[in-house]
């Protein structure tokens, strides 16, 4: 009975994850949603920036704090260990949905590409970024990432890190995909720039914390992998013994 409840809870979190992911694609593209990155309730520019940064900040703080091992230990005092990941996914998705729902557009346009085929190519690149992000989760363990494996396994064993496929090109293909999706747009408004810049800053800071955790937990194999593989930009550099790990 307990296992059934855990699986039901994890499935609910996963359904919300898929729904919010679809919402994210539509929101950033500003199509098919009531509130998009460039349309919705209008307020003064200063107020819009303050609201949007507060929303993004709340998500970033939650996402960072809840990912720390100490926070996970605290959470398991209140929920079963098998539900810890699903709870993280569920709460993160609710906060991200709040960002999309309460977002306030910011005026101004940095660029607007209307000529074809360039506009179509930018939209293609946008969708490719989301596809890259989603595909990278399956190369590690998609079910583990969203909490379904923890809820369903009687003897859960965390997946090891992988160096295959996309991970042979960059260490963080999921983050690379998100960055491409956030910046590849034919129309860069002030609000879109705010979203993309804030998200980029958070991703870069988050990668540093994640890298530190991975080096502590995996040790020498990860350090060696990091020396050979760039973090985000799939550009090979000549390996130099004792050189600092390539951060980008």
């Amino acid at each position: 009975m307990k296992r059934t409840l855990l699986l039901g809870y994890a499935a609910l979190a996963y359904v919300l994850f898929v729904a919010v992911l679809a919402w994210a694609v539509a929101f950033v593209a500003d199509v098919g949603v009531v509130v998009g990155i460039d349309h919705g309730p209008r307020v003064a520019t200063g107020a819009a920036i303050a609201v949007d940064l507060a929303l993004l900040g709340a998500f970033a703080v939650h996402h960072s704090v809840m990912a720390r091992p100490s926070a996970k230990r605290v959470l398991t005092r209140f929920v079963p260990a098998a539900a810890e990941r699903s709870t993280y996914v569920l709460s993160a998705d609710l906060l991200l949905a709040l960002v999309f729902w309460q977002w306030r557009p910011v005026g101004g346009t940095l660029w607007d590409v209307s000529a074809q085929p360039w506009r179509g190519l930018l939209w293609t690149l946008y969708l490719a970024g989301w596809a890259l992000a989603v595909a990278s989760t399956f190369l590690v363990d998609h079910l583990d990432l969203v909490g379904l494996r923890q809820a369903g396994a009687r003897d859960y064993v965390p997946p090891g890190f992988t160096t295959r496929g996309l991970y042979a090109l960059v260490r963080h293909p999921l983050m690379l995909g998100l960055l491409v999706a956030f910046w590849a747009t034919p129309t860069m408004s002030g609000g879109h720039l705010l979203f993309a810049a804030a998200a980029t800053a958070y991703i870069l800071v988050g990668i540093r914390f994640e890298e530190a955790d991975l080096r502590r937990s995996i040790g020498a194999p990860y350090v060696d992998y990091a020396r050979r593989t760039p973090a985000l930009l799939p550009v090979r550099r000549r390996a130099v013994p004792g050189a600092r790990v390539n951060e980008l």
Side-chain angles (χ1 to χ4, degrees):
M1 181 64 178
K2 180 180 178 180
R3 185 64 56 183
T4 301
L5 290 174
L6 286 172
L7 278 171
Y9 178 67
L12 174 65
Y14 184 65
V15 169
L16 183 61
F17 168 80
V18 173
V20 172
L21 176 61
W23 192 355
V25 176
F27 172 83
V28 178
D30 200 48
V31 295
V33 287
V34 175
V35 177
I37 203 166
D38 289 328
H39 79 273
R42 293 280 177 175
V43 297
T45 298
I49 292 173
V51 169
D52 295 344
L53 288 177
L55 291 167
L56 292 171
F59 174 79
V61 169
H62 166 275
H63 204 259
S64 297
V65 171
M66 291 285 286
R68 305 271 68 79
S70 57
K72 294 178 181 180
R73 289 192 293 270
V74 171
L75 183 58
T76 53
R77 297 177 185 174
F78 304 96
V79 300
E84 177 268 322
R85 183 66 187 180
S86 294
T87 301
Y88 172 73
V89 170
L90 182 62
S91 56
D93 285 339
L94 289 173
L95 271 174
L96 193 54
L98 179 65
V99 172
F100 299 154
W101 176 40
Q102 291 299 314
W103 183 263
R104 297 296 180 260
V106 178
T109 303
L110 276 77
W111 69 72
D112 186 12
V113 179
S114 57
Q116 296 293 0
W118 312 116
R119 187 175 183 86
L121 288 173
L122 283 169
W123 280 126
T124 300
L125 187 59
Y126 171 77
L127 293 176
W130 285 110
L132 172 61
V134 173
S136 67
T137 68
F138 287 92
L139 288 175
V140 180
D141 191 325
H142 182 78
L143 296 182
D144 184 90
L145 178 70
V146 298
L148 285 169
R149 191 172 302 286
Q150 295 89 324
R154 296 189 179 277
D155 298 309
Y156 170 70
V157 178
F161 86 98
T162 184
T163 61
R164 64 191 177 91
L166 296 171
Y167 287 87
L169 300 176
V170 292
R171 303 197 301 276
H172 303 280
L174 189 156
M175 298 307 175
L176 174 59
L178 292 178
L179 289 174
V180 171
F182 295 157
W183 288 98
T185 175
T187 304
M188 178 61 77
S189 67
H192 197 138
L193 177 65
L194 177 69
F195 182 93
T200 299
Y202 171 68
I203 286 173
L204 295 178
V205 172
I207 283 176
R208 290 189 176 272
F209 281 105
E210 183 181 359
E211 289 278 323
D213 289 342
L214 289 169
R215 291 191 186 100
R216 279 194 298 269
S217 60
I218 299 173
Y222 190 83
V223 172
D224 179 64
Y225 166 65
R227 284 200 182 100
R228 294 181 285 105
T229 312
L232 287 172
L233 303 178
V235 177
R236 297 287 183 180
R237 293 182 181 179
R238 187 176 62 180
V240 178
R244 185 179 177 181
V245 170
N246 179 13
E247 298 292 350
L248 294 176

